[in-house]
Amino acid sequence: FHVLADAIDAGRSADTQPDYLFQPPSITYSDLALSASLVQMRATSPDVLWREVSTWDGGRWERLREMVQTQYGDVGEMRTDF
């Protein structure tokens, strides 16, 4: 994820906001694909993996997940009783 943060930062000017999108101010397929991974991490391991990932890079990944959820809605609860 740190490599992704560096790639995002390399492709934008320092004052471009928000800092978590690949091509601000628009959401791209890359942002949605990454968000899907973040949602999956949060759903399957909220107390271990997500707690750690959500703080990486100054909370960038939590901000991305929150923004996508706010704009596109929640995917709901993941079933784990298969």
Side-chain angles (χ1 to χ4, degrees):
F1 281 83
H2 303 301
V3 172
L4 284 171
D6 291 343
I8 292 169
D9 290 342
R12 64 182 188 80
S13 62
D15 62 341
T16 304
Q17 293 295 322
D19 67 346
Y20 47 79
L21 293 177
F22 278 91
Q23 294 177 335
S26 301
I27 296 173
T28 64
Y29 179 81
S30 298
D31 298 311
L32 294 175
L34 179 56
S35 296
S37 295
L38 298 173
V39 167
Q40 188 261 344
M41 286 181 219
R42 185 172 184 241
T44 58
S45 185
D47 297 327
V48 180
L49 180 61
W50 180 246
R51 183 174 292 172
E52 183 175 339
V53 171
S54 67
T55 64
W56 289 349
D57 301 302
R60 173 179 276 188
W61 311 118
E62 172 63 9
R63 292 191 306 277
L64 174 61
R65 188 205 57 79
E66 284 177 348
M67 187 275 307
V68 169
Q69 180 176 353
T70 299
Q71 190 157 347
Y72 294 101
D74 194 355
V75 295
E77 295 295 319
M78 183 174 157
R79 285 187 54 202
T80 59
D81 62 340
F82 297 106

